Amino acid sequence: EIKNHLRDWYMSTAQKLAKNTGGWELLYSLAAALSEQGMHAEAMPLLERCLPLAKAKFGEEGTMTAAVYSQIGIVSNVIGDSDKALLMHEKALKIQLKARGERASLTGETYTNLASTYDSMGKYDKAL
């Protein structure tokens, strides 16, 4: 009961602050915290709201926009929406490759997320 009340309060507060400040960071952080607690369904609407804010602030090809795509992909994969996860990870990878290159650690993490999604889809040959 208390956990649900706190979650609702945090989500309401985060959405109000983001609306007033353009605070994509707050939405992203709250979504990550909810996801860490296994509250993936609650995290997704915050991430989806965060994406246009990140695009507006950093551009379509910004690395922080890629981070939001990645997080949406991770959560989508966990809740069973593999097609959406795949799309998000592919977008993140395209940005990471262009901005950071093939050998960057964050590019590697994006490849790992993509492989995990292929694994969830039973496409083991692509996961390798």
Side-chain angles (χ1 to χ4, degrees):
E1 177 75 31
I2 292 173
K3 184 178 179 181
N4 288 337
H5 178 71
L6 285 173
R7 179 198 66 220
D8 292 344
W9 180 82
Y10 276 119
M11 291 177 68
S12 173
T13 302
Q15 289 177 351
K16 288 175 188 172
L17 287 172
K19 184 177 181 181
N20 294 331
T21 65
W24 76 273
E25 301 95 336
L26 181 61
L27 287 174
Y28 184 82
S29 296
L30 181 56
L34 288 169
S35 190
E36 282 289 318
Q37 296 300 314
M39 302 169 80
H40 307 291
E42 292 83 357
M44 185 59 79
L46 297 178
L47 289 168
E48 289 173 341
R49 176 156 170 119
C50 184
L51 185 58
L53 297 173
K55 286 179 182 180
K57 184 166 185 170
F58 302 106
E60 180 66 43
E61 295 185 354
T63 57
M64 295 310 297
T65 302
V68 177
Y69 279 130
S70 286
Q71 194 63 35
I72 292 172
I74 291 166
V75 172
S76 295
N77 197 35
V78 170
I79 63 176
D81 191 347
S82 299
D83 291 332
K84 183 175 183 176
L86 188 61
L87 178 65
M88 295 296 111
H89 290 313
E90 287 173 344
K91 287 182 177 192
L93 182 60
K94 180 180 175 185
I95 294 168
Q96 294 291 10
L97 286 170
K98 185 174 181 179
R100 300 181 191 275
E102 183 79 27
R103 297 171 127 339
S105 63
L106 289 174
T107 304
E109 287 180 29
T110 306
Y111 275 120
T112 300
N113 293 336
L114 192 57
S116 177
T117 300
Y118 279 124
D119 183 65
S120 296
M121 298 171 84
K123 296 182 178 182
Y124 307 113
D125 56 326
K126 290 190 174 197
L128 297 174

